[in-house]
Amino acid sequence: MDITRPAYVFDIDKFHSVIKKVKSVISDIPLTYSIKANPIFAAYISEDVSHIEVCSPGEYEICNKINIEGKKIIYSGVLKTEDEIKEALCQHVDIITIESYEQYKYLCEYSKNNELHSNVIIRLSSGNQFGVSEEILFKIMEENTDSGIKIHGLHYYSGTQKKRIELIENDLKYLSNVRQLIEDRYHFKIEFLEYGPGLSFDYFDKEAEKLTYTSLEQLVYLISQYGLKDIIGLEFGRLLASVCGKYYTTVYDIKETNGVKYIITDGGTHQLRYYGQNMAMRVPPIRIVDNVENEGITEKYCICGSLCTVADVMVRECELPSLKIGNVIEFGF
């Protein structure tokens, strides 16, 4: 391949086709792309994507540099400094999440004093450091009469790579109950619920895409069952980006030690890690790009990077065509 390696190569057409396929399943439910999955794709989002979610000043700066309008941005993230909140308001981002009572107080004060407004969604914690407790959520609802901000709704995310649809159903049942409680207790209508379902994507299963879309269909059914379709928006990262790129690295050395044949590449685990691979024991999709030395002959290899640590093992053991120095290895997604 005529590229400098190691390298990532991303397929924009594939990214667009994944978005279209997801939208064909979720229909008119708004779709958000979480930029942390792969910032490269932020410059290529289509009109099918309602928002980009950013979780750090760096991600926000990426959006600024590629001229993504504030109306397309949900500014999330557990830590937001006062300066970052100011900038987001001044740039008229569409939605800002509240991750703590302190963020709420500062957002109220600055919005009121400067007549700058944004839709605000309160992140409800799923039992970790992200978001606020129910107690703080209800405290904010009680105080939010003349605060200077408009509470638009809620944000909820309870984890990633969920393989059991029951976990997602538990989320939706809980969110439906919270919605009803807020409407009954505070006579407040939630307009928007940003939900990250964390659907699983198995990098090592050839049927992964098919299984993922089956789960997506089940998710849409459950959203209707729990009466949330009128307010919910779905946030995805890995699901949209997973299959849209490849990684290339070159074989620089081949040696055998204690019966193990090692490949030393110019890449490494600082550039390539598969979620769920566990100590490089599972074999991802691998292809040799160029001609191999002995067609039809295979050997077992341990593929390593060039870092100065014994942990720099990309694949512990895999069977590949007999390799020579200079071969290019493609890792699929």
Side-chain angles (χ1 to χ4, degrees):
M1 294 185 67
D2 190 22
I3 57 172
T4 302
R5 292 175 294 273
Y8 305 101
V9 176
F10 300 110
D11 188 336
I12 305 305
D13 290 338
K14 178 68 174 177
F15 182 62
H16 287 159
S17 72
V18 171
I19 290 172
K20 284 195 175 298
K21 190 168 182 180
V22 169
K23 282 297 290 182
S24 72
V25 177
I26 70 174
S27 187
D28 56 346
I29 295 174
L31 174 64
T32 294
Y33 177 58
S34 183
I35 192 177
K36 61 180 171 284
N38 190 330
I40 294 292
F41 290 128
Y44 302 98
I45 59 165
S46 64
E47 289 302 313
D48 287 326
V49 176
S50 301
H51 289 96
I52 287 182
E53 186 216 30
V54 303
C55 290
S56 70
E59 292 176 0
Y60 183 65
E61 185 59 28
I62 288 170
C63 290
N64 277 341
K65 285 184 176 179
I66 57 179
N67 298 316
I68 291 177
E69 296 179 272
K71 67 181 182 181
K72 294 283 286 187
I73 294 175
I74 296 177
Y75 201 122
S76 188
V78 65
L79 175 64
K80 300 182 194 72
T81 66
E82 292 183 0
D83 286 343
E84 289 158 12
I85 291 174
K86 285 181 189 176
E87 183 178 0
L89 287 170
C90 290
Q91 294 296 323
H92 305 291
V93 302
D94 190 36
I95 298 173
I96 299 178
T97 67
I98 288 175
E99 294 269 354
S100 71
Y101 186 66
E102 290 301 314
Q103 283 185 19
Y104 166 71
K105 287 197 301 183
Y106 181 75
L107 193 58
C108 289
E109 179 185 355
Y110 192 79
S111 296
K112 203 169 186 179
N113 292 341
N114 295 274
E115 296 185 352
L116 289 167
H117 303 283
S118 178
N119 293 313
V120 173
I121 56 177
I122 304 169
R123 183 166 187 177
L124 183 57
S125 178
S126 59
N128 47 42
Q129 74 268 37
F130 301 105
V132 302
S133 64
E134 282 189 20
E135 180 184 1
I136 297 300
L137 168 63
F138 298 147
K139 181 179 181 180
I140 291 172
M141 297 305 302
E142 288 169 1
E143 293 181 5
N144 192 57
T145 51
D146 186 29
S147 64
I149 67 170
K150 172 181 170 55
I151 293 179
H152 193 46
L154 301 176
H155 182 208
Y156 193 75
Y157 176 79
S158 64
T160 189
Q161 292 292 78
K162 293 181 189 149
K163 295 183 177 180
R164 290 169 40 226
I165 198 68
E166 292 88 351
L167 297 174
I168 291 172
E169 183 170 11
N170 289 341
D171 284 351
L172 295 172
K173 182 178 180 181
Y174 171 63
L175 291 168
S176 179
N177 290 338
V178 169
R179 176 196 190 182
Q180 193 63 53
L181 184 59
I182 288 174
E183 289 185 356
D184 292 346
R185 184 181 295 182
Y186 303 104
H187 307 290
F188 179 86
K189 182 173 175 58
I190 291 174
E191 297 177 18
F192 186 57
L193 168 61
E194 181 73 353
Y195 175 54
L199 288 179
S200 173
F201 186 90
D202 192 335
Y203 295 91
F204 314 99
D205 189 336
K206 291 181 180 179
E207 296 292 308
E209 283 192 73
K210 182 179 178 182
L211 293 171
T212 297
Y213 286 109
T214 298
S215 296
L216 188 59
E217 289 168 354
Q218 292 174 321
L219 166 63
V220 172
Y221 171 76
L222 289 170
I223 287 170
S224 294
Q225 286 294 102
Y226 285 97
L228 296 171
K229 192 171 182 182
D230 59 325
I231 61 169
I232 204 164
L234 293 174
E235 170 196 318
F236 293 118
R238 182 182 285 113
L239 185 141
L240 299 181
S242 291
V243 297
C244 303
K246 299 184 187 300
Y247 173 76
Y248 296 90
T249 185
T250 303
V251 176
Y252 268 78
D253 204 355
I254 302 174
K255 57 187 177 183
E256 188 167 331
T257 306
N258 297 330
V260 177
K261 187 162 277 192
Y262 292 96
I263 297 172
I264 306 299
T265 72
D266 57 356
T269 53
H270 59 310
Q271 297 170 340
L272 183 76
R273 274 187 183 275
Y274 283 85
Y275 189 99
Q277 193 176 12
N278 298 328
M279 302 297 291
M281 295 301 290
R282 299 181 74 184
V283 181
I286 298 174
R287 183 174 74 92
I288 309 305
V289 174
D290 43 3
N291 294 328
V292 293
E293 199 162 53
N294 299 301
E295 198 71 38
I297 299 176
T298 62
E299 296 187 65
K300 290 184 178 179
Y301 295 101
C302 177
I303 305 178
C304 302
S306 51
L307 303 182
C308 194
T309 168
V310 294
D312 191 21
V313 177
M314 292 191 282
V315 180
R316 186 69 58 186
E317 182 180 280
C318 62
E319 192 163 338
L320 297 172
S322 184
L323 297 175
K324 65 180 186 295
I325 292 172
N327 281 140
V328 176
I329 302 174
E330 174 193 275
F331 286 85
F333 290 88

